[in-house]
Amino acid sequence: MDTDAEGWQMGIGGSIFLLVLGAILTFAVKSSPDWIDLQITGVILMIAAAVGIIITLSFWKSKKSAEGQAAQDIRRTNAARREARRAEPQQATPEQRKPQQG
């Protein structure tokens, strides 16, 4: 598997995990220790997850557009090469160059 693809999956997966964890802490957990407010912690995790998803998707989009541009450049180059081959005069193969035996 492509290591870049794994990195993007980890970015989305990690962000979704943080989002779910933050939602659980914010909405499902009713008790909280004195030294930490779990609802605020949950909100912070959900905000971090949203930022992570946005950043991951923006990098993914820019990578895809760069790959698309590279593929378009390759198609243009290949088309130019095909046109150049068509414009060249056809050269005879060695079998075609031999005089016909009568």
Side-chain angles (χ1 to χ4, degrees), residues 1-98:
M1 189 180 270
D2 188 12
T3 55
D4 287 341
E6 290 174 4
W8 299 122
Q9 291 171 357
M10 279 302 286
I12 294 289
S15 295
I16 290 173
F17 174 77
L18 287 179
L19 185 67
V20 170
L21 183 63
I24 290 171
L25 290 177
T26 301
F27 303 115
V29 177
K30 298 299 178 194
S31 64
S32 181
D34 293 335
W35 55 275
I36 190 169
D37 187 352
L38 292 181
Q39 289 184 336
I40 297 296
T41 304
V43 170
I44 291 170
L45 287 175
M46 288 190 292
I47 292 170
V51 170
I53 288 172
I54 291 169
I55 289 172
T56 301
L57 291 178
S58 68
F59 281 130
W60 182 51
K61 182 180 176 185
S62 67
K63 183 176 188 275
K64 289 293 181 183
S65 66
E67 287 175 353
Q69 182 63 39
Q72 188 176 20
D73 291 344
I74 290 170
R75 284 192 297 272
R76 284 185 190 146
T77 301
N78 289 340
R81 287 179 183 163
R82 282 192 299 273
E83 288 298 320
R85 279 191 221 123
R86 286 184 197 140
E88 290 177 1
Q90 295 291 330
Q91 295 180 358
T93 61
E95 289 81 24
Q96 293 171 338
R97 290 184 197 148
K98 289 182 182 178

